[in-house]
Structures are given as structure tokens and as C-alpha cells.
Amino acid sequence: MEFKITKKANLLTMFLIVFGIVFTGIGVIVETTFHHHGEHLGQRISGNLLIDSFFFFAIGLGALFFLALQYATETGWYASVKRIIEAVAGFLPVGVGLLIVALLTITIQQGAHIYVWMDPQTVAHDELIQGKSAYLNIPFFWIRTLVYLGTYLLFWRGFKTRSLLEDQVGGTDIHFKNYKKAALFLVFFAVFSSTSSWDWIMSIDVHWFSTLFGWYVFAGMWCSTMIVLVTLTLYLKKKGYLPNVNESHIHDLGKWTFATSFLWSYLWFSQFMLIWYANIPEETTYHLTRIKDFKFLYFGMFIINFAFPMLLLMSRDAKRHAGVLTFVGMVVLFGHWVDVYIMVMAGSMGGSAYIGFMEIGLMLLVLGIFIKVVLTNLSKAPLTVKNHPFLDESIHHEI
Amino acid sequence: MADKIIYAMYDDDDVLKDGAKKLVAKGIKVAEVFSPFPIHGIDPIIGVKNTRLGIMAFIYGLTGLMLATLGMRFFMITDWPMNIGGKPNESYLDNMLAFVPVTFEFTVLCAAHGMALTYFLRNKTLPGLPASNPDPRTTDDKFVMELRLSQNSQFTETELHDLLKSTGIVELDQRDVK
Amino acid sequence: MHKEAAIREPLILGHKTYHDITQDVCKPIEDKAPRMWYILFAIALIIGLYGVGSIMYLLGTGIGTWGLNKTIGWAWDITNFVWWVGIGHAGTLISAVLLLFRQKWRMAINRSAEAMTIFAVFMAGLFPLIHMGRLWLAYWVLPLPNQFGSLWVNFNSPLLWDVFAISTYLSVSVVFWYIGLIPDFATLRDRVKRPIPKRMYSILSFGWSGRAKQWNRFELVSLVLAGVATPLVFSVHSIVSFDFATSVIPGWHTTIFPPYFVAGAVFSGFAMVQTLMLVMRKAMRLEAYIHTRHVEYMNIVIMVTGSIVGTAYITELFISWYSGVEYEAYAFINRATGPYWWAYWAMMTCNVISPQLMWIRPLRRSMIFTFIISIVVNIGMWFERYVIIVTSIHRDYLPSSWSMHYPSHIDLGVYVGTIGLFFVFFLLFARFFPVLPIAELKTILKSSGESYKNAPDTHHGHDDHSETENNNNH
């Protein structure tokens, strides 16, 4: 069955993009007129670009990871929603583009007070950063970034091509090839997901370090992805597509949302509690700045991302209820955006950061682009896969 | 009240399930099914309602959560505040992070054991209780359907027997009960 | 629901019927024990008794009999504690997490893996208990009213969290395990002829009758217990890791510890399951139920968790440099190049390199190779704990108090003794308990049994019929 983007959806994405641009424009004007003649303008724009490009790129990457996970574990039930996962993963090229724009913007401003280690003057007076400069320097940073992004894109293209090919030729060769490639991808991903979050996010708080950080960022990204997948599935189901998707599939996606929220909360707690408990100044500074400048958002975001799914998605019926899932999903998705917002802004703008026109505007803009790209991807490939070896299992999925 | 129980034995779960479906469609009440393992999808056919033990587990868990919170609040804040590693102990919230692990464990402890106990009691399975399966083979590879004459008074005994025989049974047994 | 893709390998080999499953699992229990069982039992018992003797001597003499030294106030006992708890993670992971993931292959191993878990946690619990010195006052760790001492127990201490975590884990695992055992005890009860075993199994089976409603509750209880046991598995080893990570000792305090300890625990637990399963399937002739495919699945788990552990090692190593904290960096340099370099490199070889060999398909499907690797992994995981614990504290900030830890013969005796006791318990389990979940295996026979799966055409009649019925329902 082919998916067609409805007029309403087109209108919505147009609105998001237009509003996004207008809001961003207002934000720029506000910043230049009212806030110290815009001395933070570059920092704020670059920071926001990083937040939104990373957040939505990560959702695409999360979908690619989830797809690879299904291949590598030879899961059966997901076959009916496979095209949806692929459509979200299909945001990757655009996401990569946006992320490169964001990182370039920062690089040409010598770090824009976000990556202070890019600024030679700061480094000259900072022994700690000097100690890290073998790793944190512009050329090596860009080499790593391009290697991560290149690898992801390469695997994404392979999975996409093979998936469409499988529809035509069938057989089990493609399945086993996917199995192997997925395992390989997961190896790269296991390393890159950690190191890339050190590079792109942790190096903002350049003096600070936490071994868990990469896994924490990864869990947040995975959770956001699951929310997008379940919401998108519900949307398509409501529009009358996806005849093979029944309550059990929705339930499974709901369970993943629940489980990944729990995983994220567990990692948040582990990191926070251990740093709180040991009380080492080098480490507590990270949370102290967050509590000082973002107390409400920081703890509010944790409570939302933990308690909402925990309480509302615990029961079996809730995990099958479209309304509950969508509501919880949207709130928690915003919660994870706030998480990324704080991760970037607390270490760079600190107390002068706030969610204003520019933050909302850029978020809406990238969200509009994201929805547009994902829906376009959906319309380009048949929504139901053919010849997938586990398709029959998935059609008869019942839990 | 005197009653008669008919035990119809099958040697395959799916045959029993199909048989039950047919019998129920004809208006027969199937009183019980004994099987060596859970038969997927039999419950709605013979009218067994889903258990609500899950809700009980949630309530037990909630009890554990509250007990742990109140307990630690009392021990560590009210009764004997201790200064440990310079951590503030004026209020529960100050020290809450340290109480999370025990709170979690105790919640799980209460949920799991409360539910397990309820499960044993509701199932009437406790050490020393006698088994009530009609044939020892029902814990091996035989499946037995139990019909009660009193619940199927619109049919005669022979009618029930004939209907059962048409569903592919392997053995038929009938017992009188008081 | 008997839908399974043809591409999946069957999980039950041969042309088994429901009765065959009962027969195959019950036979070893009903028959006389083979001579080998007595030999193994005797060996395990002797080793176990030696351990008990060592513990007695230790309790009578004091902890001075251990090889503790200056700053090394915690070494051998805590290493063994963590090692055993780690091993004890596979059982509940298999029965809970894999149940949630609907992995049918778990059914071949969950019963004995859980038994193993319970015995391993017994052994783990022994170490903190004997470390208390006065074993008979062990109940002081419970929050009892004040006349038992001057204070409440300290709820801020990770060691107390451990008390709660381990006891919850142990008791919930026992309940989970036993609830699954009840229907199988009922099967045994209805089979055995001799009066004493019949009476025993009758008591053990709690009067289970296999009613539809009982099964309905059984399935839900298993699912809910799996649901609560899954975070429990994560929490227990996380809390064990908190014992170290909440401190300020370089090498102990690092935020990655909780998830990394969990991965390590699953890693070593699966290795122990492999060791036991590979012997058991041969000795009890269960090759049709635990075969290459199961071993391969477990090896993949070992490979994945081993890789996670490896990634964590490298992350720690990198961040110790990246942090710019010289003490942190020294802790790791000292591990790799200091006097305990051999322990460090043993750990690296066993835990990081050896599981990577599982990428090679013929190797991960080879029983002998798997057996060797499973032992290698457990040695490696023992060294991991030893490295983390001892190397981090044997050289602290004062070079004058730098020292080494050498285990005393009592240390060795207690440790080896726990291995003996563990096998005593496991051998008793294998002798008297159904080592495979009989009831659960029957539920997957039609979807994953070889005869049903590969030859649907030869099985006309009722089976085909039900298949079409099923399709109509959807």
C-alpha cells in the first residue's frame, strides 16, 4: 500500500517551517535589540542549531540503530512496521546535513563559546584543556565527526537498498546479509555513540567528565526514537494504512517506549547519584550549574521523562491505547528535547539561557523539516514489506 | 445435590480447543479444563475470566513503596538523624537519592511476594494440599474437559456423550458426585 | 498460535511428542543415579566441607587469617562476593528478561540457570556474612529497634542497600523459580510409583491440578514476576557496583560502573550456564533440547555482553586520561603496568579478546570450544573484580603504606570451598528436580519442534486442521 501525504499534513509542515522561520527571526531581533546588543547572538544561534540538529539527527540514528537491532536479533514481530522505522532512519542524510551546518557554524566562530576548546586564547590559559588537546582539537574533531557520520550514512544506504531489493527478489540471502551488516553496524555504533556524544556534547563542559555520559545520551536518543515510531504508527493506522499492524504491535512499541524511558531514568539516576554521593568538586560542578540556572527545567525534565511513562504506561491497556500513548509520547519527547537543551545550554550560555522565540522557532523549523522528510520517505516506498522472512510471524503477531 | 461429572479426554490441545469451541457454540457449558500446560486461547472459549492478580501486585508494590519511604524517613530523619559523609539530613528530600535503592528493592520485594502469596492462596496450591486432577495423565500428555450434568440440563447424558465423541476424544469417563 | 518462520532453526530436535518431553526430563530423576554422579558429588562435598572447615577456623580465629594488608582492607572476600553475585545474574536474566523478549530458546535453560542463580547467590551471601566476624549477629543488618544497638542501620550506606538488594533478589528468584517448578513437580507426582518420592513430590507440588484458571493465573504471575525481576536484575548488580562507585577512590569512583557491572554479571553468568549446561546435556541425555542453536544463542549473549564490558574498560581508560586527574590516570596505569599487571592482562585477554572469537560461526557452534571459553570467561571475570578491588587500594596516596595482597590458605580454602558447595547444591538439584521446564517446553513443541516445523505435510489430520482454524481467527 502506498502512503500519500495528506493536504493537512503538508499544510502542517508548511506552518511549522514558516512559523519556525518567523519565530527565529523575532528571536534574532529580540537578541540583538534587547540583550547587550547581541553579543550572545552567535552563541545562541549556534547552540540552538546544535540542539535541534542533534536532537532530530539522533532520532534518525536511533531508528537506524533500532532497525539494526531487529536484524541482528532476528526479531519477527517488527516486520509490519519495518517501513516506518526505515522512514525515520531516512531522516539521517538531512540530519547529518543539519548537524554539519551546526558544527561548522560553531567551528568558524572559534567555538562560539560553546566548544571553548576551539578557541586558542582560552586554551592558552587553561591547563586542563591543554591536557586534552591531543583529543580535543579542530582537525581531529572533524575527522571523527566525518567518520561517524560517513559510517552511519553508509550503513543506512545499504539497509535501505537491500530492504527495497528484498521486496522484489525475496529469498533468504538478503536476510542473512542484513543480519551480518547489522551486527557490524552495532559494533561501530557501540563505540561511536559514546565517543560522538563526548565530542559533540560532553566537550561543551570541557572540564567535566563522566564515563557514563555516552550511554546516557544514547538512552535518551533511543527513547525519543521509540516515541516517534509509536506515534507515527498510530498516525498511519488511524489514516487506515497498515492493515497488518494490530494491537499487539502497538503494545510492543509501547513496551519499548516504557522500557527505554526506564533505561534512561536508570542511567540518569546512576550518574547523578554517584556524583552527588562522592561529592568530588570536579564532578559536581556539572550538576551544580544545572541546579543553579535550570533547577525547574532540569528536575522537571527528569520527573516528566521518568514518572510520566512509568505511571501512565505501566498497565497493559495503556500500552495499547492510542490516546494515552500519543499524549505520553508527546510530553516525553518534549522532555527529552529539554534534556538536550540543558545539555548544550547549561555548559555554554549558563544563566543567560532561556527558552524564547529563537529556541521555539528553531525547534519548530527543524521539526517541520523532520516531519516533511519522514512523510516523504513513507510515501516513496510501499508501507508493507514483501518477502521478509518473518512477515508471516509479524502478521500473526499476538500477545 | 447429586450430580454427574463427565470427563472427556483428548490427546491434543488443539483438538480440545476446537472441540470446546463447537460444544460451547451448541450451548454446552464446559466446567473445567485440565491440561499439562497452558493452552493458548482456551480461556475465552470456556469463559474463564482473566485474573486480576496484576492489580494486586501493583497494590502490594505501592504498599512497599510507602512503607520504605515512611520507614527510612523515620529511621534516618526523625528518630536518629546521622551525619554521614557530611550529607545534609534535615529533610527526607535532602537525602532522598541515597534512599532510592532501598525503596526500589522493598517495592519489588512486596510486589513479588505479595503477589506470589495471593497466587498460592487463590489457586489453592499450598504445601500438602491434595491434587484434584481427574487423571494422572493430565500432567503428562492428556487434556481433560470436564462437563457437569447439572450445568447442562437441557441435554441428556447420551446427547452429551455423543456430542463429545464427535469432537475427537480418546476416552470418556463419568463419575457421580454428591 | 503455531506460527514461526521456516527460517528459524527448530528448538526441539527429533520427533518428540508431549509424552516424550515428560519422559526425557523425568527419566534421569526416576532412574538410579549414575556412578559418575556419586563420584562428582563426593568430590564436590569434600571440597565443600574443606570450605566449611576453613570458615569455621576463620570464625574461631578472626579475620586476621585473611591476607588483608594495610590499605587493603577488602580484597579476596569481596572479590568472591561480587564474582558469585555476578554469576547469579544469568538465571533471572534468562527467565525474566528473555521471557519479556519472548525468546523461546530460554526454555531449554531457564530452570537450571535459575537454580544456578540461587546457589550462586547463596555462595555470594556467605562472604559478607563471614566478614562480619560474628556470624550469629548477622540479623543486626536489619532495621531493628534500638535496643539491639545504639543506632538504626545506616540507610545511606551502599552496603546496606546491598543487604536489601541481595535478599530481595534471592527471595524473588526463589519464588519465581518455585512457581515454575510446581506444575513440573505435579508431573513427577503423577508419575512416580515409589511411595516416599510420591509423597515428597506431592508435598512439593502444592496440590497443583492444571486447571484452566490456574494456568491463567500462572501465566500472568510469570509475566508480572518477569516484569519486576527485570529491573531487579539491573538494580542488584548496580547496587553492588555502588559499593565501590560511591567512594572517592580512583579506579572505583566512575559513573559507568552500574551498567557496566550489570553487563559483566550477565557475561559471567552466561559463561557459568554454558559450563554447566554443556555437561548436563550430555550426562542427562538432553541433546534434543539443548543443542547447537541454544549454545550459539548463549555465545552471542556472551559476545555482546563481553563487548559491552570491553567498551566500558576502554571508556574508563580513556576518561582517566581525558579527565586530567592524575590520581585517576595513575590508578589505571598502575593496573596495566604495576605489580598486578598480570591480573590486568589476564582480565583483558579473558574478557575482551576471548569472547570476540565468537564472531566466528563454527567456533560459537562448537561445544568444546564453548566449554573452554566459558571457563576462560569466568576466570577473567574473577580477575576483573580482583583487579578493580585490589589494584585500586593497594597503592593509595601515601607511598609509605603501599603494599600487596597475597591470599592466605584460608582465603583459598573458603573460595574453593564455595565452589564445592555450589556444585553440591547443583548436583542435588540435577538429581531430584526436573532440570527442564516440562510444562513450558510443551508449549513450544508445536511452533519450534523439529517434527512439527520441518515436515508439515506429513502431519495431516488434526494439526493441519488447527492451523487453518487459527488463520481464520485472525
Side-chain angles (χ1 to χ4, degrees), chain C residues 352-408:
Chain C
V352 183
I353 297 167
S354 75
Q356 298 308 322
L357 294 170
M358 296 296 185
W359 283 98
I360 304 158
R361 189 175 142 95
L363 287 183
R364 69 169 182 258
R365 289 177 76 95
S366 148
M367 301 288 167
I368 297 169
F369 180 77
T370 304
F371 188 73
I372 296 168
I373 289 292
S374 72
I375 290 173
V376 166
V377 164
N378 264 316
I379 295 173
M381 283 311 284
W382 190 89
F383 273 113
E384 180 201 291
R385 277 64 177 252
Y386 191 73
V387 165
I388 291 175
I389 292 160
V390 176
T391 63
S392 304
I393 50 177
H394 85 118
R395 288 185 167 180
D396 74 354
Y397 301 99
L398 274 180
S400 59
S401 55
W402 285 10
S403 56
M404 293 290 286
H405 170 263
Y406 301 106
S408 70

Side-chain angles (χ1 to χ4, degrees), chain C residues 340-359:
Chain C
Y340 285 110
W341 63 270
W342 48 272
Y344 182 82
W345 291 107
M347 157 188 120
M348 277 295 189
T349 319
C350 296
N351 294 349
V352 183
I353 297 167
S354 75
Q356 298 308 322
L357 294 170
M358 296 296 185
W359 283 98

Side-chain angles (χ1 to χ4, degrees), chain B residues 72-83:
Chain B
M72 280 187 285
R73 166 110 199 2
F74 174 71
F75 301 144
M76 300 303 290
I77 309 294
T78 314
D79 193 41
W80 197 303
M82 277 187 275
N83 186 332

